Amino acid sequence: MKMYINEIKENDHVNSLFLVKEKSSAVTKTGNTYLKLKLVDRSGEIEGRIWTSVENFAGSFEKDGFVHVIGKAVSFQEHLQLNIASIESVGEEEILFSDFFPMTEKDIDEMFLSLLEICRQIKNPHLVRLLQLFWEDESFVKRFKMAPASKWLHHNYLGGLLEHTLSLVQLVLEVANHYPGLNIDLLLTASIFHDLGKVDELSYHRSFDYSDEGRLLGHIILGIERVEDKIRQLPDFPEDLSTLLKHFLLSHHGQYIWGSPKKPMTPEAVMLHFLDDMDAKINGIQQFIKKEVPEGARWSAYHRMFEQYFYVPPFWEQTKPPDNIEKVSLEDE
Amino acid sequence: MKMYINEIKENDHVNSLFLVKEKSSAVTKTGNTYLKLKLVDRSGEIEGRIWTSVENFAGSFEKDGFVHVIGKAVSFQEHLQLNIASIESVGEEEILFSDFFPMTEKDIDEMFLSLLEICRQIKNPHLVRLLQLFWEDESFVKRFKMAPASKWLHHNYLGGLLEHTLSLVQLVLEVANHYPGLNIDLLLTASIFHDLGKVDELSYHRSFDYSDEGRLLGHIILGIERVEDKIRQLPDFPEDLSTLLKHFLLSHHGQYIWGSPKKPMTPEAVMLHFLDDMDAKINGIQQFIKKEVPEGARWSAYHRMFEQYFYVPPFWEQTKPPDNIEKVSLEDE
Amino acid sequence: MKMYINEIKENDHVNSLFLVKEKSSAVTKTGNTYLKLKLVDRSGEIEGRIWTSVENFAGSFEKDGFVHVIGKAVSFQEHLQLNIASIESVGEEEILFSDFFPMTEKDIDEMFLSLLEICRQIKNPHLVRLLQLFWEDESFVKRFKMAPASKWLHHNYLGGLLEHTLSLVQLVLEVANHYPGLNIDLLLTASIFHDLGKVDELSYHRSFDYSDEGRLLGHIILGIERVEDKIRQLPDFPEDLSTLLKHFLLSHHGQYIWGSPKKPMTPEAVMLHFLDDMDAKINGIQQFIKKEVPEGARWSAYHRMFEQYFYVPPFWEQTKPPDNIEKVSLEDE
Amino acid sequence: MKMYINEIKENDHVNSLFLVKEKSSAVTKTGNTYLKLKLVDRSGEIEGRIWTSVENFAGSFEKDGFVHVIGKAVSFQEHLQLNIASIESVGEEEILFSDFFPMTEKDIDEMFLSLLEICRQIKNPHLVRLLQLFWEDESFVKRFKMAPASKWLHHNYLGGLLEHTLSLVQLVLEVANHYPGLNIDLLLTASIFHDLGKVDELSYHRSFDYSDEGRLLGHIILGIERVEDKIRQLPDFPEDLSTLLKHFLLSHHGQYIWGSPKKPMTPEAVMLHFLDDMDAKINGIQQFIKKEVPEGARWSAYHRMFEQYFYVPPFWEQTKPPDNIEKVSLEDE
Amino acid sequence: MKMYINEIKENDHVNSLFLVKEKSSAVTKTGNTYLKLKLVDRSGEIEGRIWTSVENFAGSFEKDGFVHVIGKAVSFQEHLQLNIASIESVGEEEILFSDFFPMTEKDIDEMFLSLLEICRQIKNPHLVRLLQLFWEDESFVKRFKMAPASKWLHHNYLGGLLEHTLSLVQLVLEVANHYPGLNIDLLLTASIFHDLGKVDELSYHRSFDYSDEGRLLGHIILGIERVEDKIRQLPDFPEDLSTLLKHFLLSHHGQYIWGSPKKPMTPEAVMLHFLDDMDAKINGIQQFIKKEVPEGARWSAYHRMFEQYFYVPPFWEQTKPPDNIEKVSLEDE
Amino acid sequence: MKMYINEIKENDHVNSLFLVKEKSSAVTKTGNTYLKLKLVDRSGEIEGRIWTSVENFAGSFEKDGFVHVIGKAVSFQEHLQLNIASIESVGEEEILFSDFFPMTEKDIDEMFLSLLEICRQIKNPHLVRLLQLFWEDESFVKRFKMAPASKWLHHNYLGGLLEHTLSLVQLVLEVANHYPGLNIDLLLTASIFHDLGKVDELSYHRSFDYSDEGRLLGHIILGIERVEDKIRQLPDFPEDLSTLLKHFLLSHHGQYIWGSPKKPMTPEAVMLHFLDDMDAKINGIQQFIKKEVPEGARWSAYHRMFEQYFYVPPFWEQTKPPDNIEKVSLEDE
């Protein structure tokens, strides 16, 4: 069973799986070579030291690889350190991703089924076929289900892209009939596709970071390319529908300064921009409040991207859905 | 029956009600005094001239007043002009506002009932009592039902404030359960109140314009004052609930540069900001497309506030709700 | 022979080719139907009227079509107007584009040859093959040679895109060896491709305007799609070279606010951005000075896009290349 | 021979020249006074301690002075520290500036000669005489050859101003004939002068920092003053030429926000701005990539001024000038 | 006596002095040449026509010159027009500048004396001598007394620069002792000099416009040059005092975006910036309200530079200095 | 007598009052529980440790409370630490606020009297009565006299709000008669009220921080509410005077981006904005220079809010009021 780094205490015997984040060799004052490691899992990181059999172990595992470690936790200069007796490489198939990376709290397969279910409401035959091409692309689906939606700001965990996409699609469904004359098929399809490029923009198998093409082109262009790629397989896909669909992806950040080289030019594209932005912000804030509001405090830490503090009202948590709000007593009653 | 200005043709005999927008006296080359008027109704404006009995008529009506006019349309320098044989003042009660001002296409009383209906879902007793105070204030209700939501950008017609408020409240209901833990009572109440100050910011009985206090203080502050004014009548209204409610109003423009001196600091306030902005923009765009897209064109005129054009896709209008989209044939199939 | 509109004088008999920019029918005071036209060529525009045989002529030509007109110039309300005796549609093949649209002053075929010549310097086999694919695409080459580089700001005439592209490529050649270690093949190829999408962004067969896809997607994306489209035909084209090439196109506007969703991330991409921007600005200013500096004046009109005036120093025009500058006498010596 | 600080190891005997960056006295727990120094050279900095003969040594050298030090390197709290046995002041003439400060890798005198050579192409007699006045000003020339071009961003080493100026002048020569009708004499002269004020803006004899007048007035104004100062010695220098020359200096940052109180108003001034900016950015990026890209990595560290990362493509380094690019094999072929 | 253009009525015989703003020749339908003029004075402009003796008159006066005109006002196409019987050039000495240009309502010589009076408070001998050099420069003093302070925004009338400078100096005196430790001599001197360059930036002898050097360099640099020019005549003027004085001029716009390439860096420079900006704005607003508030209205027209409206409260005008405010009755008491 | 923390030396016996900023319990390696405290006063902070009678002491005082401490200063890991022998809670009435918080150097009561004195100049009876209501509100006056004017930027010490308000009111008096026709009563009253809301925005009894309502609503709205609250007690207070007064508060930050949702719309409101901003900046700079200019240096540290350095000229400090400046000798004379 996984022993999490943040649970390790001085003198614990440790026997568990970790990810090697840093690996280097050094020399003691007495001239012996040893290995310095940084081991991580979902819960934190810890220094590791290999003092013996260095030559044997040195070649048996790699930086950025998963390892099985046996050792003992000791205290050195006020920090815990793992003296490693044995270490060996393990394959990806032996580990649970969720032991090593933050992961959505929702069920990925369930979310994916919900998304497919919603797709059934789409009637436009071109869009139906286009979506089908994506769902039939197993390699894509695998990445789409696992990718985070961003490195920091919101849904920044495995499964986050799917969670955000599903959330947006549901929002669209909830409000789409609110305005007369909107093209709901297009709205739903564009919502499903809007952040598609994030499966390529972010690499997330060892740590969350941008891929080369992610940094050089960004998820907007990468997403358009993926959509274009599938449309090419549909010879009678209408050209203006294709242009419009790509316009939705291109404009969904809303403004030049936020990375969209075009502003949304139809009511549907405007709606997509607002609901996407709202969903990202609310998720981001709720995540941030969870982590960055000290117990009992009313204010979060300063959020550097949003350049503000967030407030947790005293009577908030007790608040329930409408049907039983009546019983809520506010603090100063 | 009302004869609309844009229906008047040369040589028509005119016998109808108008609003006097401008009124001045002038002298003909032959030395006779006459009156120059500009008459308006919902459909446009026309020059009027009183050549006879000037002394009698001059005092019988006023600029910005409604009048009953009998006369004949003649052509002068390529424009129509009304030679007025008789003119007399009429009271507000004799006219239909919708003959003179743009008006919501929806039924005002029905919208108001829908709003009241939704209020019943609110269970927090403080908020319930606060809302009740507003609905019992007849003078307020009368203004709230008639006010436009803005001078130009969106819902810029009589009843527009109510229409926008109801639309926002419905949006809130549609998405509020989407995120766990939101305080829906507060969200609903804040949505109802968010643009309240517009009943004072805009004057709209003769033309849409800003009132003095509207220009000097703006609807955000005026709304907060109206809310504060009612809360003062509820001695045990919790102070932090009051602060939070006012924070929603204060922050609903989202950013300093858009006129909010505070950014939204709770997920609910963030949601209110996005949905409000989205509702205003979509209404604004749909109104603009209605007026500023030439017959058969795919592009609107340039929208100076939004600094862009809007697009009307060729297959748009035929688009129907999901269940029959399948039959829509796209142009290039 | 073409008779230019700005040469037509009162009472001239006119017998020439024009483009029909506007066409509508109207009714005279006496109840007769007539046709109102606006005719244009490169030199200006003139009102046209068809008073007789209206039924015959009405169906024989179309708005936005070229026509052969016979008529007489008369003066009406201080403006010239063409009373048309006969009008008939003519095909594109019968007209000279340069009679109707502003055109580069350089020889288009010569410029194109110069560009091909420069392409020979490129040695990277992948890029060589990619360029070849473009040059072999006749439909593309035809558009590439004719397209303007923009609607207003610079090279806003037929052949302008080619002129600007050639100018940029030559600039790149002139400075590329200035810095050590730059990848010149990539720089040259990216320069040739950088504004490629303008062949699709602008429509320019009847008037210069944006195409639908131009407005919805913009030339950056349209250019990337054209490049992607050709690369797909080269199965062993290296993926990172493809990504980088697309990064050049994507980032060549330099900043978010100028429409690039990514900033240039290599020295070559930075250079492309600067030289492109410089070439566009200098051409734009020189064009502007030509048109908007009154005879003998030192200052141009106000340039609304650049938000400034431009200066024409008194001793400017006499200035010659270095070898004979010595003889230039400055005005106040 | 100079022993560089980054080469000193524990227990080394040190006998070399250093610059005293900090100097203070302190008291040991046992009550003895000692001196704490920070010594620097081009390669780094090291703590120094004088435990004996403190009174003798204390007055024999000064902060910001060069010193000859004899001592031994010991380890204290994991850092190296120099126990100094003897220290004495040395004059500037005894040291090599390049031992202490980063310095251009190019030959300063050669660069200067190249610049003079280019000046010969200038034919306008006023500009020729003006340049001569500068070159005859020995004190100026000495500073001009040694000054860095900036504290951080680009050419931030001794000789950097000259290197940047020469680079810009060469760029101007390379592209100046590209556009018809440019006044090349003026362009060259303005390029030579454009950053002139940096000889006064930055102090760089002990460390790179802004001088008082540099901070209060900036190099643009300081440069204009130096030019004005020389022009005053040329009584028949044309006034409009003088105004224009100063306009080039004043506007070369291109925009208000970048510190130019006037935008460039002639094509030549626009060109100067772009080429200057390009040369600074490319130098800055190439320097940054050299220092801030880890061995084997494709991405630089984050550049805080430019607010971005820079990319080093995998096939970059092998890239050669056009004539042998053909042999380059790209990684994924 | 001057007959002002806005007082001329149809059929008036006109015999007065005007400024010729435009002058061109044209041909009547009957083939006769005539002269078209635009005549202006302080009060407005009027078209002039010379139908007879055209050859004689044509050479006897020039555009931008003052003329003595005899003629008759007739009505043509609803506008007044002057049929000129005789016209002849008059010299500047024969006209009153204030008949032709807006002029300060204050006495220029009195204002100048007040300024000199204040200068006596300055004790620093360097600054005293520097100021003296300026006051002894008759050509400067003449321009300084006549120049406007800007083309549009504030003090945009002859004498405006002096009026603004005196106002600022008095403000400085009023508040300078408010803060401890400010260098009042420097503040006063810098205030006197701050807009000095406007004597060169604006040309105002025929119309208010920018001079070439005004547009190319701006008043900040031109002012610094004038100060530098005088300081050069004072060999022992302390260099750091000179630098600081120039810093005041350079930074007085407060921010890059407002045209100052340096921000104010001492409390005195900060104060100068604020008081200068305040004085300009308040004068600008008061002028604007005078002209652009319709009789009886509470709101000004829209001020395009300030992007806002200004408010004239109903009880404003009756407001008196403190000692009798008590009697003011507010409208709704 | 208070012993200040920055005066405590190793081995000192300490017997004085402190504020407990942090309090937690920990366990020694030997398993004994001890208390870790952070104690602060105006002069700094020091670690405290309670090794004995932990159970007794633990409950006898609280975080954020004032305490009487007896103990001994020892050195631990190069830092001083207080070994506490006895600690007990003391009430607010036993301490001097100025021992614990930075405090204005001026006399608070004297400043308040000066303010009252100035109020006597106000003659408008409505404003007189309104001010009286505030001065009669003891709870308000107490807070108004003690509140700081900001957390960081200026007047950031107890009494700072009063000091800033008085300073602004005096500035207004000094310049108000400078411009004709200003309503001085309104200006004075608005100046007194402009930052009123800071008594509620900042909490400052234990540390300077924002209150909940301060963060959610801000001092502008809180101030308007306080003013509104008093006006409500004056039934015949003119409505437009009330609106205008609130407009002054609302607009005193001058621009949207600085937190004012309305720009100043009368000359008086413009003046208030400028003088307020100037007073805050000059105080802020003078405070900053006092603290952040090293002895003998001419330049301050970098001011992160103002994004600049400040300059202290060499001859500054000797500078005296005009009458004796003559004797000042400048450094380079």
Side-chain angles (χ1 to χ4, degrees), chain D residues 9 28 35 40 71 84 88 96 120 165 178 183 188 194 201 227 234 254 266 282 298 313 327:
Chain D
K9 292 180 304 296
T28 65
L35 293 179
V40 300
I84 296 173
E88 65 181 308
L96 271 176
R120 294 221 197 116
T165 302
H178 190 88
N183 188 323
L188 287 175
H194 84 290
E201 188 187 35
V227 170
L234 299 169
T266 71
I282 291 183
R298 297 192 185 179
K327 299 158 211 149

Side-chain angles (χ1 to χ4, degrees), chain B residues 81-131:
Chain B
Q81 185 176 291
L82 208 53
N83 283 345
I84 297 174
S86 130
I87 186 167
E88 66 180 307
S89 188
V90 299
E92 249 180 53
E93 65 290 351
E94 296 180 56
I95 60 110
L96 272 175
F97 265 102
S98 57
D99 280 344
F100 292 90
F101 304 109
M103 199 135 184
T104 175
E105 296 173 358
K106 308 200 169 156
D107 185 288
I108 287 184
D109 287 318
E110 247 171 53
M111 288 195 289
F112 188 64
L113 282 176
S114 299
L115 192 64
L116 292 186
E117 186 65 27
I118 290 170
C119 285
R120 292 221 198 115
Q121 302 198 30
I122 299 172
K123 295 300 187 330
N124 178 300
H126 300 294
L127 298 176
V128 167
R129 265 176 278 146
L130 178 58
L131 280 159

Side-chain angles (χ1 to χ4, degrees), chain C residues 70-86:
Chain C
I70 299 176
K72 185 178 175 187
V74 299
S75 177
F76 177 71
Q77 291 184 345
E78 311 205 18
H79 289 286
L80 278 184
Q81 184 176 294
L82 208 53
N83 283 344
I84 296 174
S86 134

Side-chain angles (χ1 to χ4, degrees), chain B residues 231-244:
Chain B
I231 286 179
R232 196 169 297 108
Q233 303 170 35
L234 299 169
D236 59 352
F237 198 93
E239 205 171 318
D240 50 11
L241 184 60
S242 164
T243 295
L244 202 51

